[in-house]
Amino acid sequence: MMMNRRSFSAALVTGAAASLMSTSGMAANSTPVKARNVVLVHGLFADGSCWSEVIARLQAAGLNATAVQNPLTTLPEAVASAERVLARQDGPTVLVGHSFSGMIVTEAGVHPNVSALVYVAARAPDAGEDYAALAKTYPTPPATAGIVFDGDEGRLSEEAFLRDFAGDLPQAKARVLYAVQEPFHKALLSGKTTHAAWRSKPSYYAVSSEDRTINPDLERFMAKRMGARTIEVKASHLALISQPDEITQLILEAAGQRA
């Protein structure tokens, strides 16, 4: 059957729109696959225990949750640690990252077990993108000045940790978290992703509106660019601890566990 010029033009427009949607994120146009597994990855200045509040809530909802102990050495080694955990999952899995580990989610999220991605105040680079250069297009967040190095190992000073990283937590709790922060290696910061999983997987983003570690406007830009289902939480960089109910609900939505 022959197609007239108007029909042909309409088909071209439809095809172009479909192509654009396929490369700009899928959350707004996808029904999430029902998943019972959640893998959570921590970022800098933390360890896997930072997910404890969220894990307890996910378990209460009947989900299987696993926190990755991110080695914070190099990006390939960090991605490999997440991939090993993903390989152990027995079905569709939501991959969740906080802060720096958004780099890991973006790279490891192409794993076939991953059904959806959740970013919590997290980096979300495109493939091969220089995240540091992207971040420099926004005002530098206060926490950056608080990073100190002992040789090749970096950490956040106590003052910056309490004020700029965990500013909305009770000080006693924030001091405990400061005491267990895991140092990161300088080499970790030079890594670039080779994939952008958010271009092919449904994606969700929680912006921390009071963030002093990643600029909230940068978070909004990354969330919009990926076409993520986005919420804003009035929280510090540690929304996963100060606002665990809201973060858990977003993960449940990504897991197809909410209407």
Side-chain angles (χ1 to χ4, degrees):
M1 184 176 74
M2 294 188 66
M3 183 181 292
N4 64 34
R5 182 177 298 175
R6 180 176 295 178
S7 298
F8 181 69
S9 298
L12 281 178
V13 170
T14 301
S19 175
L20 180 61
M21 282 171 54
S22 72
T23 59
S24 64
M26 299 181 63
N29 300 286
S30 299
T31 300
V33 172
K34 194 154 188 177
R36 63 175 301 274
N37 302 307
V38 179
V39 170
L40 308 116
V41 193
H42 69 85
L44 307 185
F45 322 125
D47 66 9
S49 68
C50 69
W51 289 107
S52 296
E53 296 287 341
V54 170
I55 288 171
R57 287 162 172 79
L58 292 173
Q59 290 175 338
L63 275 68
N64 171 45
T66 307
V68 176
Q69 292 296 347
N70 181 355
L72 300 178
T73 49
T74 67
L75 184 59
E77 288 174 353
V79 169
S81 69
E83 289 175 336
R84 287 192 292 271
V85 176
L86 288 170
R88 297 201 302 265
Q89 306 309 303
D90 60 359
T93 301
V94 177
L95 180 59
V96 187
H98 172 242
S99 191
F100 176 87
S101 72
M103 301 277 292
I104 299 167
V105 167
T106 297
E107 183 77 4
V110 297
H111 192 284
N113 282 348
V114 175
S115 57
L117 315 170
V118 179
Y119 294 81
V120 180
R123 300 184 182 198
D126 205 344
E129 184 171 49
D130 184 339
Y131 176 84
L134 173 64
K136 285 178 181 178
T137 64
Y138 291 82
T140 302
T144 301
I147 299 174
V148 294
F149 284 94
D150 298 314
D152 286 335
E153 287 192 340
R155 56 187 174 80
L156 206 56
S157 71
E158 183 171 9
E159 180 182 7
F161 193 102
L162 300 180
R163 181 189 61 214
D164 302 324
F165 188 67
D168 59 347
L169 297 182
Q171 189 169 91
K173 185 164 191 171
R175 285 173 61 84
V176 171
L177 294 169
Y178 167 76
V180 300
Q181 74 167 300
E182 182 76 14
F184 68 91
H185 291 211
K186 277 184 179 178
L188 183 67
L189 303 181
S190 63
K192 292 183 181 179
T193 56
T194 60
H195 301 95
W198 49 263
R199 289 193 173 276
S200 59
K201 302 285 177 85
S203 302
Y204 299 74
Y205 200 110
V207 172
S208 283
S209 64
E210 311 300 308
D211 205 324
R212 292 170 60 88
T213 300
I214 295 180
N215 188 298
D217 285 335
L218 173 56
E219 294 177 15
R220 294 180 184 108
F221 165 78
M222 293 184 290
K224 183 177 181 180
R225 178 174 66 172
M226 70 171 70
R229 152 78 170 110
T230 305
I231 63 170
E232 289 225 6
V233 184
K234 189 174 182 180
S236 71
H237 196 55
L238 290 181
L240 65 169
I241 299 174
S242 67
Q243 301 290 339
D245 289 330
E246 293 190 58
I247 300 306
T248 301
Q249 289 303 311
L250 186 64
I251 296 170
L252 291 173
E253 185 176 338
Q257 300 289 339
R258 296 178 63 208

mmCIF file of all heavy atoms in Angstrom, residues 57-82:
data_model
loop_
_atom_site.group_PDB
_atom_site.id
_atom_site.type_symbol
_atom_site.label_atom_id
_atom_site.label_comp_id
_atom_site.label_asym_id
_atom_site.label_seq_id
_atom_site.Cartn_x
_atom_site.Cartn_y
_atom_site.Cartn_z
ATOM 1 N N ARG A 57 13.086 -0.429 56.000
ATOM 2 C CA ARG A 57 11.775 -0.154 55.424
ATOM 3 C C ARG A 57 11.508 -1.018 54.201
ATOM 4 O O ARG A 57 10.374 -1.480 53.989
ATOM 5 C CB ARG A 57 11.666 1.341 55.082
ATOM 6 C CG ARG A 57 11.528 2.223 56.323
ATOM 7 C CD ARG A 57 11.860 3.684 56.046
ATOM 8 N NE ARG A 57 11.536 4.538 57.184
ATOM 9 C CZ ARG A 57 12.296 4.644 58.270
ATOM 10 N NH1 ARG A 57 13.421 3.936 58.374
ATOM 11 N NH2 ARG A 57 11.929 5.442 59.260
ATOM 12 N N LEU A 58 12.512 -1.250 53.390
ATOM 13 C CA LEU A 58 12.338 -2.132 52.235
ATOM 14 C C LEU A 58 12.054 -3.561 52.677
ATOM 15 O O LEU A 58 11.196 -4.247 52.103
ATOM 16 C CB LEU A 58 13.593 -2.095 51.354
ATOM 17 C CG LEU A 58 13.872 -0.780 50.623
ATOM 18 C CD1 LEU A 58 15.235 -0.839 49.937
ATOM 19 C CD2 LEU A 58 12.782 -0.460 49.608
ATOM 20 N N GLN A 59 12.761 -4.010 53.693
ATOM 21 C CA GLN A 59 12.525 -5.363 54.208
ATOM 22 C C GLN A 59 11.116 -5.493 54.771
ATOM 23 O O GLN A 59 10.445 -6.519 54.570
ATOM 24 C CB GLN A 59 13.573 -5.712 55.264
ATOM 25 C CG GLN A 59 14.969 -5.909 54.680
ATOM 26 C CD GLN A 59 16.034 -6.135 55.739
ATOM 27 O OE1 GLN A 59 15.862 -5.758 56.903
ATOM 28 N NE2 GLN A 59 17.146 -6.733 55.346
ATOM 29 N N ALA A 60 10.644 -4.452 55.462
ATOM 30 C CA ALA A 60 9.285 -4.477 56.008
ATOM 31 C C ALA A 60 8.240 -4.555 54.898
ATOM 32 O O ALA A 60 7.143 -5.083 55.101
ATOM 33 C CB ALA A 60 9.041 -3.242 56.868
ATOM 34 N N ALA A 61 8.604 -4.046 53.718
ATOM 35 C CA ALA A 61 7.704 -4.097 52.560
ATOM 36 C C ALA A 61 7.844 -5.405 51.782
ATOM 37 O O ALA A 61 7.188 -5.577 50.746
ATOM 38 C CB ALA A 61 7.973 -2.916 51.636
ATOM 39 N N GLY A 62 8.691 -6.305 52.259
ATOM 40 C CA GLY A 62 8.841 -7.607 51.634
ATOM 41 C C GLY A 62 9.872 -7.693 50.537
ATOM 42 O O GLY A 62 9.930 -8.681 49.804
ATOM 43 N N LEU A 63 10.729 -6.683 50.417
ATOM 44 C CA LEU A 63 11.756 -6.701 49.381
ATOM 45 C C LEU A 63 13.080 -7.231 49.921
ATOM 46 O O LEU A 63 13.374 -7.123 51.116
ATOM 47 C CB LEU A 63 11.953 -5.303 48.791
ATOM 48 C CG LEU A 63 10.998 -4.919 47.658
ATOM 49 C CD1 LEU A 63 9.578 -4.762 48.161
ATOM 50 C CD2 LEU A 63 11.449 -3.651 46.958
ATOM 51 N N ASN A 64 13.855 -7.774 49.021
ATOM 52 C CA ASN A 64 15.201 -8.264 49.341
ATOM 53 C C ASN A 64 16.194 -7.141 49.050
ATOM 54 O O ASN A 64 16.377 -6.748 47.901
ATOM 55 C CB ASN A 64 15.519 -9.493 48.485
ATOM 56 C CG ASN A 64 16.964 -9.925 48.611
ATOM 57 O OD1 ASN A 64 17.505 -9.989 49.702
ATOM 58 N ND2 ASN A 64 17.599 -10.220 47.474
ATOM 59 N N ALA A 65 16.821 -6.607 50.086
ATOM 60 C CA ALA A 65 17.737 -5.472 49.921
ATOM 61 C C ALA A 65 19.165 -5.868 50.261
ATOM 62 O O ALA A 65 19.410 -6.571 51.245
ATOM 63 C CB ALA A 65 17.297 -4.316 50.818
ATOM 64 N N THR A 66 20.107 -5.394 49.443
ATOM 65 C CA THR A 66 21.525 -5.658 49.662
ATOM 66 C C THR A 66 22.312 -4.373 49.470
ATOM 67 O O THR A 66 22.152 -3.688 48.458
ATOM 68 C CB THR A 66 22.062 -6.706 48.664
ATOM 69 O OG1 THR A 66 21.241 -7.874 48.693
ATOM 70 C CG2 THR A 66 23.501 -7.084 48.995
ATOM 71 N N ALA A 67 23.159 -4.040 50.443
ATOM 72 C CA ALA A 67 24.030 -2.866 50.321
ATOM 73 C C ALA A 67 25.405 -3.308 49.841
ATOM 74 O O ALA A 67 26.007 -4.230 50.402
ATOM 75 C CB ALA A 67 24.152 -2.147 51.658
ATOM 76 N N VAL A 68 25.900 -2.670 48.815
ATOM 77 C CA VAL A 68 27.241 -2.935 48.293
ATOM 78 C C VAL A 68 28.261 -2.193 49.158
ATOM 79 O O VAL A 68 28.060 -1.034 49.507
ATOM 80 C CB VAL A 68 27.351 -2.441 46.835
ATOM 81 C CG1 VAL A 68 28.775 -2.613 46.298
ATOM 82 C CG2 VAL A 68 26.348 -3.163 45.946
ATOM 83 N N GLN A 69 29.337 -2.852 49.489
ATOM 84 C CA GLN A 69 30.440 -2.175 50.173
ATOM 85 C C GLN A 69 31.397 -1.667 49.091
ATOM 86 O O GLN A 69 32.280 -2.369 48.622
ATOM 87 C CB GLN A 69 31.150 -3.126 51.148
ATOM 88 C CG GLN A 69 30.303 -3.532 52.342
ATOM 89 C CD GLN A 69 29.935 -2.372 53.264
ATOM 90 O OE1 GLN A 69 30.487 -1.280 53.171
ATOM 91 N NE2 GLN A 69 28.981 -2.590 54.145
ATOM 92 N N ASN A 70 31.163 -0.446 48.700
ATOM 93 C CA ASN A 70 31.926 0.209 47.640
ATOM 94 C C ASN A 70 33.379 0.399 48.100
ATOM 95 O O ASN A 70 33.627 1.033 49.120
ATOM 96 C CB ASN A 70 31.263 1.562 47.361
ATOM 97 C CG ASN A 70 31.929 2.362 46.275
ATOM 98 O OD1 ASN A 70 32.959 1.994 45.733
ATOM 99 N ND2 ASN A 70 31.333 3.502 45.960
ATOM 100 N N PRO A 71 34.364 -0.117 47.348
ATOM 101 C CA PRO A 71 35.756 -0.003 47.792
ATOM 102 C C PRO A 71 36.331 1.406 47.717
ATOM 103 O O PRO A 71 37.356 1.697 48.336
ATOM 104 C CB PRO A 71 36.509 -0.948 46.857
ATOM 105 C CG PRO A 71 35.672 -0.974 45.612
ATOM 106 C CD PRO A 71 34.255 -0.898 46.102
ATOM 107 N N LEU A 72 35.706 2.294 46.932
ATOM 108 C CA LEU A 72 36.156 3.688 46.817
ATOM 109 C C LEU A 72 37.624 3.798 46.385
ATOM 110 O O LEU A 72 38.358 4.663 46.841
ATOM 111 C CB LEU A 72 35.948 4.436 48.144
ATOM 112 C CG LEU A 72 34.508 4.521 48.645
ATOM 113 C CD1 LEU A 72 34.447 5.244 49.995
ATOM 114 C CD2 LEU A 72 33.605 5.224 47.630
ATOM 115 N N THR A 73 38.026 2.906 45.496
ATOM 116 C CA THR A 73 39.412 2.884 45.018
ATOM 117 C C THR A 73 39.521 3.463 43.608
ATOM 118 O O THR A 73 40.093 4.532 43.409
ATOM 119 C CB THR A 73 39.960 1.458 45.055
ATOM 120 O OG1 THR A 73 39.011 0.564 44.428
ATOM 121 C CG2 THR A 73 40.206 1.004 46.494
ATOM 122 N N THR A 74 38.966 2.751 42.638
ATOM 123 C CA THR A 74 38.875 3.250 41.258
ATOM 124 C C THR A 74 37.456 2.988 40.777
ATOM 125 O O THR A 74 36.747 2.135 41.324
ATOM 126 C CB THR A 74 39.856 2.537 40.312
ATOM 127 O OG1 THR A 74 39.459 1.158 40.180
ATOM 128 C CG2 THR A 74 41.288 2.621 40.826
ATOM 129 N N LEU A 75 37.042 3.705 39.743
ATOM 130 C CA LEU A 75 35.686 3.496 39.232
ATOM 131 C C LEU A 75 35.496 2.067 38.717
ATOM 132 O O LEU A 75 34.480 1.438 39.042
ATOM 133 C CB LEU A 75 35.352 4.529 38.159
ATOM 134 C CG LEU A 75 33.926 4.464 37.612
ATOM 135 C CD1 LEU A 75 32.898 4.665 38.717
ATOM 136 C CD2 LEU A 75 33.727 5.509 36.506
ATOM 137 N N PRO A 76 36.416 1.498 37.933
ATOM 138 C CA PRO A 76 36.214 0.113 37.483
ATOM 139 C C PRO A 76 36.081 -0.875 38.637
ATOM 140 O O PRO A 76 35.252 -1.798 38.580
ATOM 141 C CB PRO A 76 37.464 -0.177 36.641
ATOM 142 C CG PRO A 76 37.889 1.165 36.134
ATOM 143 C CD PRO A 76 37.602 2.108 37.270
ATOM 144 N N GLU A 77 36.870 -0.705 39.700
ATOM 145 C CA GLU A 77 36.770 -1.617 40.838
ATOM 146 C C GLU A 77 35.458 -1.421 41.585
ATOM 147 O O GLU A 77 34.832 -2.383 42.050
ATOM 148 C CB GLU A 77 37.957 -1.412 41.785
ATOM 149 C CG GLU A 77 39.263 -1.938 41.207
ATOM 150 C CD GLU A 77 40.473 -1.607 42.079
ATOM 151 O OE1 GLU A 77 40.322 -0.856 43.066
ATOM 152 O OE2 GLU A 77 41.564 -2.109 41.767
ATOM 153 N N ALA A 78 35.004 -0.178 41.674
ATOM 154 C CA ALA A 78 33.731 0.098 42.328
ATOM 155 C C ALA A 78 32.571 -0.488 41.525
ATOM 156 O O ALA A 78 31.631 -1.063 42.094
ATOM 157 C CB ALA A 78 33.551 1.598 42.512
ATOM 158 N N VAL A 79 32.629 -0.345 40.209
ATOM 159 C CA VAL A 79 31.588 -0.920 39.350
ATOM 160 C C VAL A 79 31.589 -2.435 39.467
ATOM 161 O O VAL A 79 30.529 -3.070 39.571
ATOM 162 C CB VAL A 79 31.801 -0.485 37.882
ATOM 163 C CG1 VAL A 79 30.894 -1.276 36.940
ATOM 164 C CG2 VAL A 79 31.535 1.012 37.736
ATOM 165 N N ALA A 80 32.771 -3.042 39.490
ATOM 166 C CA ALA A 80 32.867 -4.504 39.602
ATOM 167 C C ALA A 80 32.249 -4.998 40.901
ATOM 168 O O ALA A 80 31.606 -6.059 40.934
ATOM 169 C CB ALA A 80 34.324 -4.946 39.504
ATOM 170 N N SER A 81 32.415 -4.242 41.984
ATOM 171 C CA SER A 81 31.839 -4.662 43.263
ATOM 172 C C SER A 81 30.318 -4.663 43.188
ATOM 173 O O SER A 81 29.651 -5.550 43.741
ATOM 174 C CB SER A 81 32.327 -3.758 44.400
ATOM 175 O OG SER A 81 31.784 -2.448 44.299
ATOM 176 N N ALA A 82 29.747 -3.689 42.500
ATOM 177 C CA ALA A 82 28.294 -3.650 42.324
ATOM 178 C C ALA A 82 27.819 -4.763 41.401
ATOM 179 O O ALA A 82 26.782 -5.399 41.642
ATOM 180 C CB ALA A 82 27.865 -2.290 41.779
#
